[in-house]
Amino acid sequence: MSSLFPALTDAPAGRTALRFGERSLTYAELAAAAGATAGRLTGGGRVAVWATPTLETAVAVVAALLAGVPAVPLNPRSGEKELAHILSDSAPALVLAAPGAELPSPVSEPARLDVDVRAGGPVPEDRAGEGDPALVVYTSGTTGPPKGAVIPRRAVAATLDALADAWRWTGDDVLVHGLPLFHVHGLVLGVLGPLRRGGSVRHLGRFTTEGVARELNAGATMLFGVPTMYHRIAEALPDEPELVKALAGARLLVSGSAALPVHDHERIAAATGRRVIERYGMTETLMNTSVRADGEARAGTVGVPLPGVELRLVEEDGTEIAAYDGETVGEIQVRGANLFTEYLNRPDATAAAFTADGFFRTGDMAVRDPDGYVRIVGRKATDLIKSGGYKIGAGEIENALLEHPGVREAAVTGEPDADLGERIVAWVVPADPQDPPGLEELADHVARRLAPHKRPRAVRHLGALPRNDMGKIMKRALGQEQGQGQEQSQGQEQSQGQEQGQGQRQGGEQGQGQGQGQGQSRG
Ligand code: MCA
Ligand code: AMP
């Protein structure tokens, strides 16, 4: 029996485990397919998974977990530079992919193993220990390339069991989502979560409001999404009665990965009578807090600490804040079985991430209400941008921009965006002011090297970047210079319209583009 997935052998006969579009696997079929693939992962080391939103990705990850081999999910849209970094850092022995999936050149180095979802093999004996790595998930920091967070098997089990308690999540639940499978939200919560409970997941392939309505109206009970998805649902509700009915009938609507604006909360509640609940997590910590299924779904809060998670707020100097007054702001630090063990090959970064007493420094700033509800009010680092629920480091994009011959200096900030939460703005000093590189060119350049979700949505050309006496770029001043530079935003370039693209700042969101960031210049 698998300690992570007892349902592989225990689920009621015929129960569907996974459905992606028209294709599905029962628990027995999943056990056979994952068992067969696991039987081929005998060489040790890590395996990369070409994480398209398909059955093969789910089977590959379950197989790796059954074999006790850490899996490294790869974003199939990552550009060459990002893929090359992840592959050289994690050094996988194999890449697991769907038959026929085209792998770009950086991924041709490790041997390829095609995943056959109709194969049959026994579920292997569970030999891995609780502290052994289950996954290595790459996540952006403020500077440099993404770091691989090593997530142990105990963290996966602990977080999913804590959520089961908080959400009354059982094998009878049928989850619908359209999240990508190379991050914690879509993969750990969205795929491994239902499998640990012995329930079902229906993946939409890609998120659409029609897909959500169809599945929730056809027996699905829960929906997971990022705020951008709930924003799009809120926008669509007035015109889509099927969507209203679907949400009204759902057991649980859960949002996470970024703050869900109160306005969208309220629009959804008004149209459907249902409240979305928020949970708060991180790649490094998995889930820390949640509004409970039996608790009050209060807009603008991420609920209470999950069972097994110790959470404290601290002052700048590390002093613990005792107050539950809804006012005193401190950094969230967490400790528990849900935490990652290290950043792969980065002992320096790992050491810096933890306090002496083993708490992880999240970098998220919050207050606590008298009843313990946590409200996130911003982030410590101004160089981390959350766009569409993806965490994106400004420094990573600045470095990529500087590799463009038309860019002499670059600074990247996040600005409020009604749909994405924040959008990426590139402030660029062109090498040739007479011929500055345009938005499309720079967006393509970043998308090709890193990933499409990291591309700038607006480019502003400046004669020089504002710097302090130390030579550091003052990102706050950049915000104030907005409108003085030559702006090209996505809406403008695509539609030749006048759109300035200024969304509303989210309730409580603090700090983006307001501090002194890294900023970069050539040479
Ligand atoms: C446009 N596209 C381009 C370019 N311009 N591609 C290449 N080069 C360009 N220059 C393409 C895009 O690839 C995409 O293609 C399409 O145009 C539209 O892209 P975009 O506007 O960026 O996004 P979207 O399709 O509108 O997606 C919004 C989204 C997405 C669905 C909300 O952002 C999303 O899936 N977010 C989820 C993030 C997430 O899971 N975060 C979890 C990490 P095409 O149309 O073909 O797709 S956080 C986490 O795990 C922690 C633990 C937590 O708490 O959850
Ligand atoms: P990532 O590193 O991509 O896993 O993103 C983790 C970050 O997402 C956290 O540090 C928070 O800043 C943010 N986050 C996740 N869930 C929420 C939420 N419900 N509300 C506000 N921020 C969130």
Side-chain angles (χ1 to χ4, degrees), residues 77 179-180 183-185 206 226 228-229 232 257 279 281-283 287 386 388-390 443-444 447 452 455 457:
R77 293 190 158 233
L179 293 154
H183 276 311
V184 163
H185 194 169
R206 63 177 305 160
V226 294
T228 301
M229 295 171 179
R232 292 179 185 180
S257 302
R279 96 290 181 287
M282 271 183 97
T283 304
M287 295 304 115
K386 263 278 169 171
Y390 288 111
D444 286 347
R455 71 189 191 274
R457 309 294 174 124

Side-chain angles (χ1 to χ4, degrees), residues 343-410:
Y343 293 115
L344 192 65
N345 305 321
R346 294 292 305 276
D348 52 336
T350 306
F354 288 94
T355 63
D357 56 351
F359 277 79
F360 175 74
R361 307 173 204 271
T362 66
D364 291 310
M365 307 300 289
V367 301
R368 264 176 321 206
D369 287 342
D371 56 4
Y373 271 54
V374 176
R375 279 194 287 132
I376 297 177
V377 297
R379 280 188 298 276
K380 234 177 157 179
T382 52
D383 277 330
L384 279 180
I385 299 162
K386 263 278 169 171
S387 188
Y390 288 111
K391 184 160 82 178
I392 302 162
E396 204 187 334
I397 306 172
E398 287 159 0
N399 286 332
L401 288 171
L402 284 171
E403 286 172 20
H404 189 284
V407 175
R408 185 147 63 84
E409 288 181 84

Side-chain angles (χ1 to χ4, degrees), residues 170-228:
T170 72
D172 292 332
D173 278 306
V174 177
L175 172 68
V176 51
H177 79 85
L179 293 154
L181 300 188
F182 46 85
H183 276 311
V184 163
H185 194 169
L187 181 63
V188 178
L189 272 58
V191 174
L192 305 184
L195 297 183
R196 184 155 172 86
R197 299 275 74 82
S200 306
V201 54
R202 297 184 193 163
H203 195 282
L204 298 172
R206 63 177 305 160
F207 170 83
T208 59
T209 54
E210 295 80 11
V212 168
R214 186 185 63 239
E215 297 305 334
L216 286 176
N217 283 329
T221 62
M222 298 168 85
L223 172 67
F224 291 176
V226 294
T228 301

